[in-house]
């Protein structure tokens, strides 16, 4: 068994250790004896986006999001829609999450037309939403809590075509108003969680691995790992946020 992972736009979308999510996935696959191949696809790459089992997109500030627009609309946008509709697993963080939606209008009025793969849109507010935060995913995704770090001015609103990834327990989430965090559509998971997210949320890492393996091989039995250190980090952040 082997998973092919694409790190899309690592040159511009990679904040607060987002790339650590790939290292976490790679390590958890290695520990289980499952092969993994990681391909970095920066701006200007001519490689096709087809054939990957999991696509990772990190976060970036407004500037970087504008820098990548030209490359995105040279065909990456259509490839992303096709991959997502085909059930490829995607983890997208903050600026990368916003990029999968319809558009982002910055707080000073610049509009970035994005991929439109997910039924959501983002509008920048004057106030930034910054800090450690926490949310709970619905039972059908495992019912676990996720801890992360958010830093965005964009307020994301979800349309009926997506479901929230979680309900906020502490912090802001999508917009600081409706209690939702992130979005789920097919095998796509969008979230504001930097951190990196996966090392301290091993349930989330395994959810992605399981979805990718199930799609590729029809079934996935994941050998349990010793997550004592990972859960210690997770639980300590819950404690700091007053939730444990
Ligand atoms: N530029 C976006 C915002 O501020 C995303 C920031 C980020 O990825 N941290 O909303």
């Amino acid at each position: 068994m082997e998973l092919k992972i694409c790190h899309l736009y690592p040159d511009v979308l990679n904040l607060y250790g987002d790339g650590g999510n790939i290292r976490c996935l790679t390590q958890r696959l290695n520990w289980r004896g499952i092969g993994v191949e990681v391909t970095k696809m920066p701006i200007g790459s001519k490689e096709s986006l087809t054939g990957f089992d999991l696509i990772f997109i990190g976060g970036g500030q407004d500037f970087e999001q504008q820098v990548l627009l030209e490359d995105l609309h040279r065909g990456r946008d259509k490839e992303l829609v096709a991959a997502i509709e085909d059930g490829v697993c995607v983890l997208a963080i903050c600026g990368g999450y916003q990029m999968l939606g319809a558009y982002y209008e910055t707080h000073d009025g610049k509009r970035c037309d994005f991929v439109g793969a997910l039924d959501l849109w983002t509008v920048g507010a004057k106030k930034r939403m910054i800090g450690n935060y926490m949310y709970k995913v619905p039972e059908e995704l495992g019912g676990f809590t996720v801890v992360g770090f958010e830093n965005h001015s964009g307020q994301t609103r979800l349309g009926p075509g997506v479901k929230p990834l979680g309900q906020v327990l502490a912090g802001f989430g999508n917009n600081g108003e409706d209690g939702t965090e992130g979005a789920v559509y097919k095998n796509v998971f969008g979230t504001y969680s930097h951190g990196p997210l996966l090392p301290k949320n091993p349930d989330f890492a395994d959810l992605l691995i399981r979805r990718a393996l199930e799609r590729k091989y029809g079934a996935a039995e994941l050998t349990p790992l010793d997550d004592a250190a990972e859960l210690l980090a997770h639980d300590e952040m819950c404690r700091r946020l007053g939730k444990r």
Side-chain angles (χ1 to χ4, degrees):
M1 284 199 289
E2 186 197 57
L3 288 184
K4 289 190 194 309
I5 299 179
C6 170
H7 189 174
L8 185 60
Y9 296 140
D11 46 345
V12 279
L13 297 182
N14 195 1
L15 283 176
Y16 310 117
D18 284 339
N21 292 310
I22 302 247
R23 291 175 69 181
C24 175
L25 290 168
T26 302
Q27 188 59 55
R28 295 182 78 80
L29 287 163
N30 285 342
W31 277 331
R32 291 175 165 124
I34 302 169
V36 55
E37 190 187 291
V38 179
T39 304
K40 289 188 180 197
M41 238 183 241
I43 287 179
S45 164
K46 297 277 177 285
E47 253 187 89
S48 158
L49 204 56
T50 49
F52 289 103
D53 306 304
L54 202 151
I55 298 169
F56 172 73
I57 316 169
Q61 298 301 336
D62 298 7
F63 174 73
E64 283 86 11
Q65 288 177 294
Q66 288 163 37
V67 164
L68 62 79
L69 276 183
E70 201 185 320
D71 191 83
L72 188 67
H73 294 310
R74 264 201 299 259
R76 280 287 180 242
D77 47 359
K78 289 183 191 68
E79 285 187 310
L80 275 166
V81 171
I84 286 169
E85 289 304 318
D86 197 27
V88 172
C89 273
V90 180
L91 174 62
I93 313 286
C94 198
Y97 162 46
Q98 295 172 350
M99 192 189 86
L100 294 181
Y103 65 86
Y104 174 39
E105 200 177 296
T106 64
H107 71 96
D108 53 358
K110 288 194 196 81
R111 184 175 158 121
C112 302
D113 283 317
F114 279 150
V115 174
L118 304 187
D119 184 13
L120 55 89
W121 59 95
T122 304
V123 177
K126 272 214 183 88
K127 179 173 160 252
R128 293 196 74 81
M129 290 163 271
I130 308 177
N132 291 306
Y133 78 126
M134 183 175 168
Y135 54 96
K136 185 174 192 297
V137 305
E139 293 306 323
E140 71 250 31
L141 294 179
F144 50 83
T145 57
V146 178
V147 292
F149 171 75
E150 60 181 330
N151 182 358
H152 53 112
S153 79
Q155 292 186 298
T156 297
R157 307 283 169 185
L158 307 183
V162 293
K163 286 185 175 165
L165 171 61
Q167 292 297 319
V168 175
L169 299 173
F172 299 96
N174 277 331
N175 48 58
E177 289 170 2
D178 66 12
T180 66
E181 157 58 16
V184 184
Y185 172 70
K186 294 192 175 213
N187 281 331
V188 183
F189 300 86
T191 175
Y192 273 107
S193 303
H194 294 286
L197 161 71
L198 298 180
K200 54 183 186 267
N201 296 285
D203 288 330
F204 203 154
D206 282 355
L207 171 65
L208 291 166
I209 291 173
R210 192 173 300 109
R211 288 284 188 97
L213 288 173
E214 278 171 0
R215 174 177 174 272
K216 189 166 192 178
Y217 297 104
E221 259 318 304
L222 291 193
T223 318
L225 299 175
D226 176 5
D227 284 329
E230 289 82 350
L231 293 174
L232 207 62
H234 175 276
D235 293 352
E236 169 59 17
M237 189 47 72
C238 296
R239 193 189 62 75
R240 285 197 216 171
L241 291 168
K243 297 292 168 190
R244 186 171 285 234

